[in-house]
Amino acid sequence: MSEDKGAMWKPVTRPSTYELVIDAVEEQIMAGSLTVGDPLPAERDLATKLGVSRASVREALRVLESLGVVRSSGGSGRGAGTFIAAMPSAALTRFLRLHVALANFSIDDVTETRIQLERSSSILAAARADKDSLAAINAQLAMMDTPGISIDVFNDADTAFHVAIAQAAGNQLFSDLTGAIRTSLRTSIFASFNRVDDPQELMSRLQAQHHQILEAIIAGDTEEAARVTEEHIRFAASALPGLTET
């Protein structure tokens, strides 16, 4: 048998033990053995079942909690322990905020993603929005109509307005992604507003566009809702310094 010719071998990476614990929990979730609200075994018991150290279990649970997959409650009694949770919004927001800050996702990529996502939300909202959904959207619109509103309050109401549209679309993932993307951009948007010559004038223009979006949704005009939503996002990106790279 001939020797390997020029083969380059590298050591096989062995996963950290805590990653194997995460894999074990994921396997139970995927199999349906664990669902939202179910408790995990106590730290000591889980370590024994998996044949790993308590330190590995502890580290795995910290990671899973940061991902919004589990929640932990201290103390004793029925409410204490670690439970399977459903907190995707917080986990998505943290993930996007950090990776946008690290420039792993460019501002342009985030903006283009937001356009496609919110176009779809507006189309579905125009087709599906009920009375309560429209009231939730309009409540944020009314907040932004407040005379002399501050930039930070306007920005938070702006985010809530777009999230409310996604919720009106009846798609929870759209809603969570919209909130995560907007929150990841919050610091950049706020800083950009403070670099604009006339922030109040810009807020007025953005608010006029918000009214157009809601009018199209109320009218059930899916094409118009998508069009004005895209125009609005592209305008905001171009008007706010630093929110576009081109």
Side-chain angles (χ1 to χ4, degrees), residues 60-186:
L61 295 180
R62 274 197 288 260
V63 172
L64 290 170
E65 188 165 13
S66 73
L67 294 173
V69 176
V70 303
R71 59 176 177 82
S72 297
S73 299
S76 59
R78 295 182 59 184
T82 301
F83 301 84
I84 300 298
M87 300 179 289
S89 296
L92 284 169
T93 297
R94 184 181 300 111
F95 173 85
L96 279 173
R97 184 171 60 241
L98 290 173
H99 284 282
V100 169
L102 292 169
N104 292 327
F105 298 132
S106 72
I107 293 293
D108 283 353
D109 284 350
V110 173
T111 298
E112 287 298 330
T113 299
R114 187 184 165 207
I115 287 169
Q116 297 307 316
L117 176 65
E118 295 200 32
R119 276 179 58 91
S120 296
S121 291
S122 294
I123 288 170
L124 291 174
R128 299 175 177 175
D130 58 20
K131 184 178 179 180
D132 290 341
S133 298
L134 293 175
I137 299 171
N138 198 55
Q140 302 306 321
L141 201 64
M143 174 69 72
M144 288 183 283
D145 277 333
T146 304
I149 186 172
S150 65
I151 294 173
D152 56 336
V153 174
F154 181 91
N155 185 39
D156 289 344
D158 192 343
T159 294
F161 170 81
H162 289 281
V163 170
I165 290 174
Q167 291 172 338
N171 187 309
Q172 188 60 48
L173 183 55
F174 279 9
S175 175
D176 287 344
L177 285 172
T178 298
I181 290 174
R182 281 288 309 213
T183 302
S184 74
L185 295 173
R186 187 181 190 280

